[in-house]
């Protein structure tokens, strides 16, 4: 016989009642089992929430976890549960837990696991799996799959636990792997047979590990700090780039102090927005395309020189063509030594955790560090003020129908008035316009598509952000992006979460104006049902749906959603011709390159 749903032996601390439900009993004095050891190990390490989707072989596990006082948030698709776990990890520095069933459920969770690894978010994907003896002989078990082998290349680490007495070690290793050094996604394979295994309760208790110092500080070498300060001191046009590693590190006060004491202008990457308020006088976001090629020394703080920074070279950086070096010198703070020189030479690598590195640099700058030349600061201010003034003019327009700008002028005000709210954001134009128009005021509040530009994070991130922070969440979603996780509006309603989803509905991917050149009956590949009423979706589950066609209607609906904290979905109708193909990254689109 293949995998069966593990049954909880009667006489232990839970019993199965006639409906198939289980209820908590007093824990037996003598024995414990795999279910409880996993839960106890997580709780012992301060993990109190599981994002998942029940089914064979982990249904009872979810029930017992809830009975044991853990928060178990059930989703409609594992990818969304995985995304929730990943962003919970980013927000809290504790690994977010995603729990899935075997093979197909496990596979559904893998995109989120791989995305977590890519983005350096700590999460643990725990999947039930089928019987090893049958899987390894490929005898056709229920949901047969060698999950460990499949997860390994997509995760920072992957482990399997076969014996109940090893659960403590398995969870401890998973936690350490997820949060130490460069954080990432970890896979933990728990075969069905593990859960009902019983062992002596005392032995079980002693086998659990409370992980001591799971993410040890990594102190930079003094000579690396000196080299970095020497480089920065000699700069005529210095620039600091803050990445989501800096946001993750929670060294908010040290980073702010370093930036203010040195007077160096800074550019936040998308998820580092709000680490200092975007309205800070040293913020150079509005002069991005000026500062990158003009800077002579660039200090990267938890930011990689990947595609989002044009690999540190090419025209963005003042190089003659797309491969040429712009002449900048780089100083990089990163916890991963291998990140150095990944794209261009790093002249001053500072390896360590952001908090320790920035503290060491702060100690080295003393009290009379020379401010950057006034000429540099003045040139940035001029560029920035011009761009801000131009943007203000555009935002003040009130076209009919609404466009991205007139709708985002509203969102910008609402976020300003609610700086503690999290802003989840995905799409192409909906992403790019929101990033540059909506200022953020507090750290780790902007949660978006990250390193991969992945679509589908919307509702998973929103659920986790609301659960973890207890604060309202605003999700600004392209109509295409929303579709990847849209069914989770039921989850928002089920848990009554204070999430306000705003769908920028322009009838398609990028925009809704493409036509089928053959004149045939199918619409163009990028076009959706015109005039779709996404607001009706949430009404099916008892949430508030609003159809907004003007900025005034949008403002009223958002204000009401934030006030009432009711799950709300606003269908914001945008001009269907408003979007650009691929948003701000049109240059990466091969069809654009051909032209
Ligand atoms: C920024 N800007 C501003 C402001 N902030 N103007 C006025 N006021 C304010 N506050 C200006 C900024 O100077 C830029 O203009 C422009 O707005 C855009 O700024 P942004 O967004 O910071 O910069 P840019 O060039 O778009 O950044 C490149 C990028 C970014 C690669 C980092 O595009 C990005 O994160 N993209 C992710 C895309 C993605 O993942 N898409 C999902 C797949 S979509 P200039 O300085 O004049 O240039 C599938 O198709
Ligand atoms: P962004 O996309 O915002 O530029 P990236 O994800 O590319 O950010 O870069 C984040 C970097 O931060 C990674 O190279 C990662 O190793 C690093 N990092 C993550 N956490 C820490 C930390 N606590 N201290 C130092 N570096 C960190």
């Amino acid at each position: 016989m293949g995998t069966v749903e593990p049954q909880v032996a009667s006489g232990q601390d839970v019993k199965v009642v006639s409906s198939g439900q289980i209820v908590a009993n007093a824990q037996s004095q003598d024995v414990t089992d795999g279910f409880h050891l996993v839960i106890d190990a997580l709780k012992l390490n301060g993990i109190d929430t599981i994002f998942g989707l029940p089914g064979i072989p982990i249904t009872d596990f979810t029930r017992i976890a809830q009975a044991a006082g853990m928060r178990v948030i059930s989703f409609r698709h594992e990818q969304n549960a995985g995304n929730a776990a990943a962003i919970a990890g980013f927000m809290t520095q504790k690994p977010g837990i995603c729990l899935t069933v075997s093979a197909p459920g496990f596979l559904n969770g893998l995109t989120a696991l791989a995305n977590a690894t890519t983005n350096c978010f700590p999460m643990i994907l725990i999947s039930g799996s089928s019987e090893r003896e049958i899987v390894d002989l490929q005898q056709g078990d229920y949901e047969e799959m060698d999950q460990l082998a499949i997860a390994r290349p997509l995760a920072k680490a992957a482990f399997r636990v076969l014996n109940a007495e090893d659960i403590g070690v398995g969870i401890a290793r998973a936690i350490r792997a997820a949060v130490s050094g460069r954080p990432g996604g970890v896979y933990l394979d728990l075969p069905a047979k593990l859960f009902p295994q019983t062992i002596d309760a005392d032995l079980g208790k002693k086998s659990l590990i409370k992980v001591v110092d799971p993410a040890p500080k990594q102190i930079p070498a003094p000579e690396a700090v000196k080299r970095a300060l020497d480089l920065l001191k000699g700069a005529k046009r210095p620039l600091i780039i803050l990445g989501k590693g800096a946001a993750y590190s929670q060294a908010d006060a040290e980073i702010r102090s370093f930036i203010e004491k040195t007077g160096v202008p800074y550019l936040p990457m998308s998820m580092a927005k709000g680490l200092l308020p975007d309205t800070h006088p040293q913020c150079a976001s509005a002069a991005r395309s000026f500062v990158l090629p003009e800077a002579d020394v660039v200090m990267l703080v938890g930011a990689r020189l990947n595609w989002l920074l044009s690999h540190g070279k090419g025209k963005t950086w003042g190089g003659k063509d797309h491969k040429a070096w712009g002449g900048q010198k780089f100083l990089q703070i990163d916890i991963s030594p291998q990140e150095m020189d990944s794209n261009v030479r790093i002249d001053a690598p500072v390896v360590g955790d952001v908090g320790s590195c920035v503290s060491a640099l702060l100690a080295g700058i003393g009290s009379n560090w020379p401010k950057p030349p006034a000429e540099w600061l003045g040139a940035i201010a001029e560029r920035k003020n011009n761009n801000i003034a131009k943007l203000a003019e555009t935002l003040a327009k009130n076209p009919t129908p609404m466009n991205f700008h007139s709708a985002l002028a509203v969102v910008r005000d609402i976020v300003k008035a609610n700086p503690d709210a999290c802003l989840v954001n995905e799409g192409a134009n909906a992403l790019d316009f929101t990033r540059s128009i909506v200022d953020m005021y507090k750290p780790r509040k902007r949660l978006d598509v990250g390193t991969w530009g992945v679509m589908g994070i919307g509702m998973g991130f929103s659920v986790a952000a609301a659960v973890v922070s207890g604060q309202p969440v605003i999700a600004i979603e392209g109509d295409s992006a929303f579709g990847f996780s849209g069914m989770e509006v039921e989850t928002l309603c089920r848990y009554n979460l204070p999430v306000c989803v705003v769908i920028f509905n322009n009838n398609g991917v990028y925009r809704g104006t493409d036509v089928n050149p053959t004149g045939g009956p199918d619409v163009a590949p990028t076009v959706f049902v015109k005039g779709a009423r996404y607001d009706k979706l949430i009404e099916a589950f008892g949430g508030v749906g609003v159809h907004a066609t003007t900025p005034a209607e949008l403002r009223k609906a958002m204000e009401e959603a934030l006030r009432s904290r009711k799950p709300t979905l606003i269908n914001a109708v945008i001009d269907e011709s408003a979007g650009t193909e691929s948003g701000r990254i049109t240059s990466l689109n091969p069809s654009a390159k051909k032209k």
Side-chain angles (χ1 to χ4, degrees):
M1 196 179 83
T3 306
V4 289
E5 179 115 21
Q7 291 297 307
V8 182
S10 61
Q12 292 172 41
D13 62 328
V14 294
K15 69 178 182 205
V16 182
V17 296
S18 55
S19 62
Q21 268 190 324
I22 52 161
V23 290
N25 259 351
Q27 182 140 12
S28 152
Q29 295 295 308
D30 306 327
V31 288
T32 186
D33 60 21
F35 290 107
H36 293 93
L37 287 167
V38 175
I39 292 160
D40 291 348
L42 292 172
K43 286 173 74 177
L44 185 65
N45 285 288
I47 295 172
D48 56 9
T49 305
I50 293 174
F51 303 98
L53 207 163
I56 295 172
I58 47 93
T59 316
D60 278 348
F61 180 84
T62 59
R63 293 186 182 122
I64 299 171
Q66 189 175 56
M70 292 191 85
R71 187 125 200 236
V72 182
I73 306 289
S74 283
F75 285 75
R76 305 299 294 259
H77 190 286
E78 292 86 350
Q79 190 177 122
N80 307 319
N83 285 325
I87 209 66
F90 171 75
M91 293 171 75
T92 62
Q93 295 185 328
K94 277 189 207 161
I97 305 294
C98 173
L99 182 69
T100 77
V101 304
S102 36
F106 155 79
L107 286 174
N108 286 343
L110 271 190
T111 304
L113 182 75
N115 190 53
T117 304
T118 302
N119 281 280
C120 318
F121 298 156
M123 80 173 269
I124 304 175
L125 174 66
I126 301 180
S127 292
S129 61
S130 301
E131 291 185 26
R132 293 253 34 90
E133 296 85 340
I134 303 177
V135 173
D136 290 350
L137 276 169
Q138 298 183 19
Q139 293 175 310
D141 202 358
Y142 168 75
E143 298 193 344
E144 177 177 295
M145 177 171 274
D146 187 357
Q147 296 174 193
L148 187 66
I150 290 167
R152 208 181 284 288
L154 302 175
K156 186 179 166 195
F159 307 102
R160 176 185 290 134
V161 181
L162 293 175
N163 299 311
E165 55 268 35
D166 293 330
I167 286 172
V169 168
I171 299 277
R173 298 209 72 188
I175 291 172
R176 276 200 189 279
V179 298
S180 63
R182 172 183 277 180
V186 174
Y187 177 60
L188 188 62
D189 193 86
L190 301 184
K193 280 205 295 197
L194 178 75
F195 294 104
Q197 264 185 43
T198 52
I199 60 168
D200 175 78
D202 193 44
L203 184 71
K205 197 172 177 193
K206 286 187 184 139
S207 72
L208 301 185
I209 295 173
K210 182 168 169 49
V211 178
V212 176
D213 196 11
K217 276 189 181 174
Q218 296 191 23
I219 315 286
E223 57 272 26
V225 172
K226 181 174 181 314
R227 193 189 297 121
L229 288 174
D230 287 347
L231 180 61
L232 196 61
K233 201 164 212 168
K236 299 218 160 29
R237 296 180 305 281
L239 174 70
I240 293 174
I241 298 182
L242 301 174
K244 59 182 168 308
Y248 175 80
S249 73
Q250 299 193 12
D252 310 337
E254 293 89 334
I255 291 169
R256 184 174 188 142
S257 176
F258 184 81
I259 287 178
E260 290 181 344
K261 284 193 174 149
T262 58
V264 175
Y266 73 94
L267 204 55
M269 297 301 288
S270 193
M271 283 179 62
K273 276 167 73 78
L275 198 40
L276 286 82
D278 283 339
T279 47
H280 192 282
Q282 286 169 253
C283 179
S285 287
R288 189 179 199 275
S289 60
F290 172 73
V291 290
L292 290 179
E294 292 295 325
D296 63 349
V297 172
V298 178
M299 171 172 170
L300 299 156
V301 186
R304 287 172 284 189
L305 280 175
N306 55 18
W307 72 279
L308 289 157
L309 283 170
S310 308
H311 306 281
K313 55 196 169 197
K315 288 188 177 160
T316 304
W317 294 88
K320 273 203 290 298
D321 59 47
H322 75 284
K323 282 195 172 149
W325 176 48
Q328 291 81 3
K329 293 210 181 293
F330 287 98
L331 183 175
Q332 183 161 25
I333 296 179
D334 205 289
I335 203 154
S336 166
Q338 284 156 289
E339 188 53 41
M340 307 300 161
D341 306 326
S342 61
N343 284 272
V344 294
R345 181 176 57 238
I346 300 301
D347 301 276
V350 184
V351 174
D353 66 278
V354 165
S356 300
C357 293
V358 175
S359 299
L361 290 169
L362 256 177
I365 62 172
S367 52
N368 52 359
W369 183 266
K371 292 279 183 262
E375 203 186 330
W376 173 232
L377 301 182
I380 296 173
E382 189 187 332
R383 183 59 83 104
K384 179 175 148 175
N385 293 338
N386 279 343
N387 281 349
I388 290 176
K390 258 193 259 161
L391 181 64
E393 264 174 45
T394 316
L395 294 181
K397 290 181 188 151
N398 188 5
T400 310
M402 274 195 291
N403 61 13
F404 287 100
H405 287 90
S406 58
L408 282 166
V410 172
V411 178
R412 178 184 162 104
D413 291 349
I414 302 272
V415 170
K416 187 174 183 185
N418 298 274
D420 288 314
C422 291
L423 181 75
V424 172
N425 189 202
E426 62 177 334
N429 293 284
L431 174 86
D432 292 339
F433 284 123
T434 306
R435 184 182 58 248
S436 55
I437 293 172
V438 177
D439 291 325
M440 303 304 298
Y441 299 87
K442 296 204 173 175
R444 295 169 294 283
K445 295 293 184 187
R446 188 184 151 85
L447 311 169
D448 70 24
V449 303
T451 307
W452 260 355
V454 67
M455 295 296 111
I457 48 88
M459 296 304 102
F461 277 18
S462 296
V463 169
V467 166
V468 165
S469 71
Q471 297 288 342
V473 176
I474 299 166
I476 304 297
E477 299 275 312
D479 51 347
S480 164
F482 172 74
F484 291 75
S485 65
M487 192 62 206
E488 303 297 346
V489 292
E490 189 274 334
T491 312
L492 301 181
C493 294
R494 191 167 7 113
Y495 294 103
N496 194 25
L497 297 172
V499 176
C500 172
V501 183
V502 182
I503 298 180
F504 282 0
N505 184 359
N506 63 354
N507 294 342
V509 180
Y510 308 130
R511 56 181 172 249
T513 48
D514 275 11
V515 286
N516 179 345
T518 70
D522 293 343
V523 296
T526 54
V527 170
F528 294 152
V529 167
K530 304 235 178 196
R533 293 291 301 272
Y534 291 97
D535 48 311
K536 299 278 179 201
L537 272 179
I538 201 165
E539 288 175 359
F541 307 109
V544 179
V546 183
H547 182 63
T549 58
T550 63
E553 287 169 2
L554 177 60
R555 187 181 301 273
K556 184 163 170 273
M558 288 188 78
E559 280 172 353
E560 179 55 20
L562 282 145
R563 195 198 56 71
S564 71
R565 293 177 65 97
K566 285 191 189 143
T568 301
L569 192 156
I570 304 169
N571 182 49
V573 180
I574 299 291
D575 182 351
E576 69 169 3
S577 66
T580 313
E581 179 129 342
S582 310
R584 291 271 300 172
I585 53 173
T586 306
S587 62
L588 297 180
N589 186 341
S591 55
K593 278 187 178 161
K594 245 182 6 201
K595 285 172 197 161

